[in-house]
Amino acid sequence: MNNLLKGVNLYLIGMMGCGKTTVGNLLASELGYRFIDTDDIIVKAAGKSINQIFTEDGEKEFRKLESNVLSQVCAYTKLVIATGGGIVMQKENWSYLHHGVIVWLNAPIEVLYERLIEDKTRPLLQDTDLKEKLRSLLSERHGVYAQADLHITINAQQTPAEITQHILEVIPGILRSENSQN
Ligand code: ADP
Ligand code: MG
């Protein structure tokens, strides 16, 4: 697998709660890659939480920081990069994502809801009706997430390790199809 990927980065995209951070960490250790989370880099650089950035500086400023981080990480190889749920909504970000293989973790609303109901660290989800908010965000983003190279359907039963194995199994298929176009 390592030989096949040749150091190409993996970008994980998908809704908050779909498992980008959890699965990304496992994927990186299986591949001998480094794991990074764009949210973590932003928090470290800004010296405040994502919630604080949203309230003090606004979502627009957060999106700028996010694009900046993405533009910088694509200079490196052998990375698994977990991105923020909304990163796909800015067109310029796709030019960075396409430096690597883009993996969409597609989890149903019910699964996201169960995982996020107690989580107070997610700025866009401090809504009174969490399920409705998730539905509206997913309907806005679904078509954009679908531009990923790999679509991984997540259900409530799969463990992070099983999802990781599944991704490792399907990657060779898309690498072959990309090579055959050249
Ligand atoms: P993201 O980074 O996409 O927002 P996380 O990896 O932070 O998602 O996962 C959100 C929550 O769901 C965390 O509490 C995590 O432990 C849990 N989680 C992630 N993947 C799974 C899984 N396959 N099964 C059960 N719980 C999971
Ligand atoms: Mg995360």
Side-chain angles (χ1 to χ4, degrees), residues 79-94:
L79 296 178
V80 175
I81 299 138
T83 62
I87 210 160
V88 297
M89 298 310 281
Q90 277 178 283
K91 224 171 170 190
E92 69 158 301
N93 290 342
W94 283 86

Side-chain angles (χ1 to χ4, degrees), residues 133-152:
K133 181 70 185 178
L134 286 169
R135 267 197 208 103
S136 81
L137 282 174
L138 182 57
S139 73
E140 254 170 55
R141 295 174 181 173
H142 192 278
V144 192
Y145 286 142
Q147 293 173 44
D149 301 310
L150 271 179
H151 296 190
I152 305 296

Side-chain angles (χ1 to χ4, degrees), residues 15-22 35 37 39-40 82-85 122:
M15 292 283 285
M16 49 289 267
C18 71
K20 299 178 295 292
T21 301
T22 312
F35 172 74
D37 199 310
D39 281 352
D40 284 350
T83 62
R122 318 258 182 171

Side-chain angles (χ1 to χ4, degrees), residues 7-104:
V8 166
N9 293 341
L10 295 186
Y11 291 92
L12 301 185
I13 66 169
M15 292 283 285
M16 49 289 267
C18 71
K20 299 178 295 292
T21 301
T22 312
V23 171
N25 263 300
L26 289 176
L27 264 177
S29 61
E30 290 291 321
L31 290 167
Y33 273 28
R34 262 202 319 139
F35 172 74
I36 61 171
D37 199 310
T38 56
D39 281 352
D40 284 350
I41 296 180
I42 293 168
V43 167
K44 279 182 196 130
K48 46 187 167 183
S49 71
I50 303 286
N51 267 337
Q52 268 178 307
I53 298 171
F54 266 72
T55 50
E56 292 169 20
D57 311 304
E59 179 171 354
K60 207 171 158 201
E61 180 58 26
F62 174 78
R63 297 296 170 204
K64 262 197 231 162
L65 296 170
E66 195 173 49
S67 287
N68 192 265
V69 168
L70 207 54
S71 74
Q72 298 197 30
V73 296
C74 67
Y76 298 86
T77 59
K78 287 184 143 191
L79 296 178
V80 175
I81 299 138
T83 62
I87 210 160
V88 297
M89 298 310 281
Q90 277 178 283
K91 224 171 170 190
E92 69 158 301
N93 290 342
W94 283 86
S95 62
Y96 306 127
L97 295 171
H98 279 305
H99 282 93
V101 172
I102 309 165
V103 182
W104 175 28

